[in-house]
Each structure stands twice: as structure tokens, then as C-alpha cells.
Amino acid sequence: MKKLDKITPQNEDFARWYTDVIKNGDLMAYGASKGSIIFKPLSFGIWDNIRLALDKKFKTKNVQNVYLPLLIPESLLQKEKDHLEGFNPELATITEVGGKKLNEKFYIRPTSETLFGDFFKNEIESHNDLPLIYNQWVNVLRWEKTTNPFLRTREFLWQEGHTMHANSLEAITLTKEMLKVYEDFLKEYLALPVLSGQKTEHEKFSGAEFTLTVEAMMKDKKALQAGTSHYLGQNFTKPFNISFKNKDNQQEFAYGTSWGVSTRLLGALIMTHGDDRGIIIPPKIAPTQIDFIELFANKNESIHLKAKELVNQLLENDLLVKLDDSDKGPGFKAANSEIHGTPLRIELGPKDLENNNVVLIRRDTLERKVVAIDDIVKEAKNLLNDIQENLYNKAKERLNSNFVEVSTYEEFKEVIASGKWVLAPFDGDGEIEKIIKEETGATTRCIPFQLPIEIKNDKCFYTKKKTNRFVAFAKAY
Amino acid sequence: MKKLDKITPQNEDFARWYTDVIKNGDLMAYGASKGSIIFKPLSFGIWDNIRLALDKKFKTKNVQNVYLPLLIPESLLQKEKDHLEGFNPELATITEVGGKKLNEKFYIRPTSETLFGDFFKNEIESHNDLPLIYNQWVNVLRWEKTTNPFLRTREFLWQEGHTMHANSLEAITLTKEMLKVYEDFLKEYLALPVLSGQKTEHEKFSGAEFTLTVEAMMKDKKALQAGTSHYLGQNFTKPFNISFKNKDNQQEFAYGTSWGVSTRLLGALIMTHGDDRGIIIPPKIAPTQIDFIELFANKNESIHLKAKELVNQLLENDLLVKLDDSDKGPGFKAANSEIHGTPLRIELGPKDLENNNVVLIRRDTLERKVVAIDDIVKEAKNLLNDIQENLYNKAKERLNSNFVEVSTYEEFKEVIASGKWVLAPFDGDGEIEKIIKEETGATTRCIPFQLPIEIKNDKCFYTKKKTNRFVAFAKAY
């Protein structure tokens, strides 16, 4: 068992705080190859729960899971030019096997639009074969230059949905529906409020007609793209020749979408809810919801028996509880529980047992509540619900209170420098977005579907032209 | 919707039968790169169920899931020489990224002993940190020359368990326990009986002290290795320097195990239970347990209403039922259900409705049973249990009745040529195993823990030396 290190306070250095808590919380270890990480049981357990919960939501949209190969033949990726260009610098390339050079190179999938294209081509003959609504939970690889655990790693885990439709309206509707699935899921399970909207042309996915996004705000107020849903139109179906006989007996190219969330959600979770004691895992996604700790257990057999009885009672009531019966002291165990982000801690000592009480300690507010032993299940469930809600509300309040409208580029620079987000009329193109990014570090996050603040200006803060396109800007992970 | 092709009968050509049923059963499509396949919803659904069920069994053995990187740096794989040699010809190698040559090559994991070794090294300091019982569900790649869908593909999905222990006894015990987990799981869920035993030196895993295996018998009587559990001793902990302070305060190398099953189980499933009408999926692992078919549905609204009501009733009772309400005819729907291996089919026609009956048709025996509508849930559950049991019993009978003891190599050749398995005293070494394989196509499958037949000889059929080592031989997938 490793000793716990000191955690750098968030206010002092947020980046160091992040590294400290993921190491101390036993979430990850660095992998053998640069830019790779190992998901230890706690972080993989959270990802497994994300997978289970999100997959259930997918099923309500008739999504079917499949598995497509890891390797993309060179010739296949070259079929869609924008897409190839977007990913080319990051493509890990297999050129040899067992020391022998291959005739054709293979890329490790950075995403699988081209593989699905090649697959769909043979699956679709008539409008009766549509829609196809597929998804896969897989690893992908993008050879990033700068990496950050969970947030940006060369290899990451994700789900990627890929669908085919007989008309654009149906495909566009699904693109929007899947974004809504993400929005609801992030709220309900990860307690993550988001700003939903459309990416600008400059920030959309390479190969998409348009990209929808859910943008979250971390505790340092930086933005994190938490999920995207792309309407691909016929951009992949034309080069891949995915056509079908429509109802009028005409051959027509199908319409596609793709959408995904990845293990960067773990980073989002940590940076949204964590505090100076460590991470905080929302109860609905926590592999362990309750740490049960005996005070002076070594000296007291009756406490140990009672503890085991109560733990069983909690387990029988579908609460994920763990009894820490190692020979560490109760102080260490409590700190250990906090640093691992377990949402609730229950303590039982000799005094408690005498009074027929247990003490419930919330990880989010650190409040202690003495409750009668008979009420332990009910009280634990209530508190876990409260914690889930409180985590969401706190994050929501932060998101709501950090938008600022600007009317000039000078104001824009000040707001961005202060760490807040700008929401303002903007009609600049990709070239202007590049300049703004270079000069301020901020990027366009999205054109929100719903405005979190009232917008007063009707002129672009940069070009000064009249526009009703309101765009959110922020520095982002 | 594709037309169903004719299925080659098993007796005529088993290999073609296999290809026919996996294509017609919508289990797979060929991938864009040679030797790769696409898992379509049905096969991936089965794999997902395998994962969920097996993972539950793992949890009872305190297994924790993790995720380690896909890529192995060249230097890391070179640390264990036997292991490297065993895998070297099959290693897909990344030498460039975005067209630029890398300084170090990376291999795609063919298995992850070396990655876990590198990981464990930093996780273990004292005996208090042991045991570590980890597992991951991942993709691996081995550049096989000849491939066969599910059975041998360059990329496949599997789980690989990797554990570390403070002494050899504990590690050996776990090696055996995990084999038992596989044996029980295969019996309970896949209705797959197996012959459990130890691999010979020649057939053990590259890098193991010994390898345990569960061997299944397909309908063509060929063997299929369904799962393996390896005792690694200190073979990886020494080169990776994974040592700990033991209870006597001495530094000692840890003891390892690894164990896995893969998507070749899907091949095993198909070739164990399938018949000339298509595949048969055991109920406990079937994504769809019941296909509900309305007879003359288009003409009869009352049938459709009743069908929907009954489907809901079955769903509420945790039965995985699907209503086929496409506009195909009932004959097509029935054939479609059979070819997809759905264990039970329920039909409702006008006569049935009049008499308050439904007809339940078993996929395994094709028997039809008329039951009262009120009994539908009870009867369906009973039949599904019967089907699961019957599939196992039939496979078990086949396994039990196809072992033959031999006393000479001539007899050996005859038995192997007849397709049966040999079980006989054998004390030959790896060189002799190679000769036997070359001359007969048979390999040693295992040294069984329990003998399925009584062995009468006490001399090796090949060397004629006295031995009490009884070895099973068969042609294998």
C-alpha cells in the first residue's frame, strides 16, 4: 500500500491538482509507451458503468452493437479526402509483420467512418434495409503530440455510432436525438450540465456536413467537449458508393450520421466535481457508493459483527458498499475513502453501537449525519440521491454564471483572460477563428441551441457586421 | 433484406456448412483487410452476453477489470525471450506515424503479459500488495496465415486475466480455479462440455511453466481449444524485476498466472449445436430467446393485438422476445428464425386464437407444442430450460462416445483418420509430437484430469516405454 501524497490545492495550480488526484485516487498509471495510460480498477469501473448505462439509453433508440476491425487498409482511408487530411498526421501505420515489409500499409483506426462505409456498402440494397443504427465500444488511436491522462491520450476508449438512412431528414433527426441522449445521460449519471449547440464550420468534424456538440465547463472554467454527433449527409456514401433503391425505384445515395463519447468523460468527471481532498464520483456511476469503516475494529468484535451485518443489509438493498477491514487506522481509512471519491462513508464506533447509531459522512459537503441503525438503508439512499443532485446543481450554477457578452474584441480578450466564457454575436470565418485562437487561446465551442444569457448586441464583436449568429468561446481542454 | 441461400448439409461438407450458416445467420461479414471479420449484431450480442455472464463469475473470484494499452514498445517485448520467439512471426509492427518514421517500433499486443509485467513492477512493494487479480476485455492481433471466421482471425476479442501472488502455491491454485470457472461457465451458459487437462510441454503457452486447457469437441469431432489458464511462475517477474518484500522481510520475485477465452467461443458454439437449418444459440446466451410470429397477421387485427399483448407479457417476465411484424410471409419468418438460431419460436394464428392457444416450436428438436395462452410464460420458460439442457446433453454424449484407446501407432493412425480422438499412454517428447502431427494431422490436446474412458495399456503407443501419462490426441481447429 502506497502512502498518500499531498494534493496541490485547486486554487494554487489546477493542472497539478489534477495530476495529484488521479495518481492518489488510484485512477491510472502511465503506460509503457509515451502518451498512453493504464486504466486501473477504479477508472475502468467508472467507464464500465458509463458503458452499461449509456448502452441502455442507446437501446431505446434501437441502436445495435457491432464490432469492426482495428485496421484500415491505406486504400480505404484515401476514399474521403477531407477525412484523410484531418487525421493523416496522427495515423499510426503498420508497415511490417514479423520483420517483413507488407505490400499495403494499414492504419490503426482513429475513428471508423471508412470501415463502416465499406461495410454498409454490402448491407444495403433497398429502402427496406434502412435505417441501420449501429454502434461499437472500441479503442482508437490518434498520435497526439501533447497528452494528458484521460483528456487526451494517444489511445482512448469510446463508443462510435454509425447510422444509415433513406433520407436526410431522418438522418438529421437522429443526429439531434443522439445529442439529446448524451445531454440527458451526462446530466442523469455524471451530474454534468452542458451547453448544447452546433460547431462552426471551422470546428466541425472532418467529413461532416455539420457537427453538434455538448460542451462542459470544468472547475477552472475551461471548456471540455464531452460528446459530438455528426450529420454526414452523403459525404461518405458517395465515395463508398452506398446506394439503395428508394420507394420510387430510383438508385439513391444513403444519408449518414456518426456520434461518440470517449474516456475523456473521466477527465470531465474529475475536473467538474473534485475538490482539494481528491475526486468525487457521482453515486449513480460509482463502482463503490459507500465505504464502511469500523472505528477501533481490532479491539471490538461486536463492532465488526455489526458492521458485517449492516454491510450485508446495504448490499441486499442494491447499494454498492465496501467494508474496509484492513488493519489500517480509521483516520487513514477515512482519508483513503475521500481520496478515492466514494460518495458516502459510514462509520461505526463503540459509542455509536451503544446508542444504536451510525454516522453517515457525505463526500461532497463533508457533512456528518448521525442516524438510527434501523434507518441506515433509507438514509443512505436519500443521501446518495442528495449528493447526485447537489453535484449537478453546483456544476450547473458554475456553468450558468460564467457567460459574458462582449461587444468589442478588446472586451473579448479581457473576458477570456479572466477565465470566463464569451457568448456574443460573431460572424467571422475559420481564418478569423484561427487568429482569435492564436491571440487569446480561445476557440469557438458552439452556436448554442438555447442561450444561457440574454444577448443585447446585434453586431459581430470582431467584424462589426450585423449578425444573429451567437457563438460561445472559451479556452478548452 | 437478402434472400436466404441454400445451406450445405453438415454431412456433405462441414467446412462449407459452417461458412453457409454464419453468412445466412447474419453473424459476420468479411472486413476490409484480409483475415478480419465484422461482428454483426447477432454475434456481437452473443459475445456481449458471454462477457456479462463470465464477468459475474470472475467477480466471485475477486477479479478486477482494468485496461492496458494496445501498443507494446519493441524493447518491452524483448524482455522475455521464449515469449518473444513464440509470437514474433505474427507481430503487426508500427514503424511510422503520418508518413514519418518512428525512433522505436511498436507492436500491436498479441497478448499482454509484457505490458502487465511493466505495470505490476510499479504496483508491488510488499506482500501486503498481493495478490493482484486483474483482467481486461480487449482486442488483440496475431498475423495468422490461414484464417477462418471466429475460429482464427488476425484480430480477435478476448479477456485476458493477469495475476500476481506472493507464493507459487497460491498462483497454482488460482491457475486451476480459473480453469474451473471456464469449465463451469461453458457448461452452464454455452452448453459446451469439455475435456479439462494440462497441455504437454510442446503445446504449452510460450512463457508458461505449465498450461491448463478446456478442449471441446465439434460436430465434425475436431477439437477446439476453448480456454486456457497458464501458471507463469517467475518467468515474467524475473526479467521484469517484479519483486516484493515477503513476510520474512526478504526481497522475492512474485508468481504469476494468465488466462483467457476469446471470440473463437462463437465458432465453438456454432459447430457444437448447429444443424442443417442453421445455427442454434443456447437460451442462456441468446440475445433473442423467442421469435414471435403472427400467422396471416396482415389480414387479422385481433391476432396482431393479441400478439403484442403476449410479447409484452413475455418481456415483463424477463424473456427476450422479438415480434417479427415485417410484411414477409409466416413461412419466411419461421425459416428466418431457424437460420438465426433463436431457441424458441411462438406462432399465433386464427385457429389458435379461437382455441385460446399458441404453438411453441423448439429450435433444437423442431418439436411443436400447443399450449394454452394462459400458460405461455411458464411453458416458454420450461422449454427454454429443456433446450439448454438438451443441447448440453447431446454434446456431452458426443464427447463421451468418441474416445478410443490405442496400443500401436498404426491403430492411432486409423482412429485419427476416422475422426475420433485418441486417449492413450504416451511419453513422447515435442519432436515426436511434431512427427505425429505431420503424419496424421493430430496434435496432443491435453493430459486429462479425469479419464473419460478406462485406460488398459501401460505402455506408450509410440515409444513402447512404460508410462502412466495418458494423453488425448485429435485433429483440431
Side-chain angles (χ1 to χ4, degrees), chain A residues 244-311:
Chain A
F244 65 99
K245 205 156 257 166
N246 66 21
K247 282 182 180 164
D248 304 324
N249 228 15
Q250 305 283 318
Q251 208 63 23
E252 186 176 351
F253 290 112
Y255 300 81
T257 83
S258 68
W259 25 276
V261 299
S262 78
T263 37
R264 75 189 321 231
L265 286 183
L266 293 169
L269 199 71
I270 296 159
M271 294 195 301
T272 298
H273 304 305
D275 64 18
D276 287 347
R277 292 176 185 233
I279 64 167
I280 303 179
I281 308 172
K284 286 193 79 167
I285 213 77
T288 303
Q289 294 171 317
I290 305 171
D291 283 323
F292 202 109
I293 295 173
E294 306 158 63
L295 307 178
F296 313 111
N298 292 338
K299 297 170 195 157
N300 197 321
E301 186 59 20
S302 58
I303 288 186
H304 189 52
L305 285 175
K306 193 65 180 176
K308 284 205 284 189
E309 179 197 322
L310 292 175
V311 162

Side-chain angles (χ1 to χ4, degrees), chain B residues 256-449:
Chain B
T257 83
S258 67
W259 24 276
V261 299
S262 77
T263 38
R264 75 189 320 232
L265 286 183
L266 294 168
L269 199 71
I270 296 160
M271 293 196 300
T272 299
H273 304 306
D275 63 18
D276 288 348
R277 293 177 184 231
I279 64 167
I280 303 180
I281 309 171
K284 286 191 80 167
I285 213 78
T288 302
Q289 296 171 315
I290 305 171
D291 283 321
F292 202 108
I293 295 174
E294 306 158 62
L295 307 178
F296 314 109
N298 292 337
K299 296 171 195 155
N300 196 321
E301 186 58 23
S302 58
I303 289 185
H304 189 54
L305 284 175
K306 193 64 179 178
K308 284 204 287 190
E309 180 198 322
L310 292 175
V311 163
N312 282 332
Q313 197 186 333
L314 292 162
L315 284 171
E316 278 160 19
N317 282 277
D318 297 323
L319 290 164
L320 303 170
V321 59
K322 234 177 168 170
L323 179 64
D324 183 349
D325 56 4
S326 68
D327 53 10
K328 303 277 172 195
F332 179 92
K333 289 180 183 177
N336 203 41
S337 173
E338 285 181 353
I339 217 161
H340 288 93
T342 309
L344 196 62
R345 188 167 91 239
I346 299 183
E347 294 181 351
L348 178 68
K351 268 264 152 49
D352 304 313
L353 191 59
E354 221 177 282
N355 300 323
N356 227 22
N357 286 334
V358 282
V359 184
L360 276 55
I361 303 107
R362 294 170 66 141
R363 174 64 186 84
D364 58 340
T365 60
L366 304 172
E367 283 171 305
R368 304 169 69 85
K369 187 175 188 184
V370 181
V371 310
I373 277 182
D374 286 348
D375 296 336
I376 189 168
V377 169
K378 191 188 70 187
E379 292 281 354
K381 284 194 173 174
N382 283 343
L383 280 182
L384 288 169
N385 283 339
D386 280 359
I387 294 165
Q388 183 82 26
E389 218 171 283
N390 178 49
L391 290 175
Y392 178 77
N393 289 339
K394 280 203 294 193
K396 180 81 182 164
E397 202 189 303
R398 182 169 58 247
L399 180 66
N400 282 345
S401 59
N402 280 296
F403 289 100
V404 182
E405 188 185 354
V406 300
S407 51
T408 67
Y409 189 37
E410 284 316 300
E411 277 175 49
F412 179 96
K413 285 178 184 166
E414 274 167 39
V415 171
I416 293 298
S418 80
K420 298 199 170 202
W421 293 27
V422 162
L423 180 60
F426 175 70
D427 79 339
D429 60 11
E431 288 311 307
I432 294 175
E433 287 186 42
K434 272 189 204 164
I435 293 167
I436 291 176
K437 184 178 180 185
E438 234 164 71
E439 294 181 350
T440 69
T443 48
T444 58
R445 303 318 305 159
C446 68
I447 304 157
F449 297 139

Side-chain angles (χ1 to χ4, degrees), chain A residues 357-370:
Chain A
N357 285 335
V358 284
V359 184
L360 276 53
I361 303 106
R362 296 171 63 141
R363 174 64 186 85
D364 58 339
T365 60
L366 305 171
E367 282 169 305
R368 305 170 68 85
K369 187 174 186 186
V370 180

Side-chain angles (χ1 to χ4, degrees), chain A residues 53-68:
Chain A
L54 188 52
D55 220 53
K56 248 183 222 165
K57 287 205 180 279
F58 285 164
K59 291 282 189 308
T60 68
K61 300 285 171 191
N62 299 312
V63 177
Q64 295 189 291
N65 283 332
V66 295
Y67 184 80
L68 269 65

Side-chain angles (χ1 to χ4, degrees), chain A residues 91-102 105-106 108 143, chain B residues 71 74 91-108:
Chain A
L91 294 173
T93 313
I94 293 162
T95 63
E96 55 179 67
V97 169
K100 284 179 198 148
K101 226 177 166 66
L102 294 169
K105 295 177 180 179
F106 294 91
I108 297 184
W143 211 268
Chain B
L71 302 187
E74 191 177 22
L91 294 173
T93 314
I94 294 162
T95 62
E96 55 179 67
V97 168
K100 284 180 197 146
K101 226 175 167 66
L102 293 170
N103 290 328
E104 188 179 19
K105 294 177 181 179
F106 294 92
Y107 302 120
I108 297 184

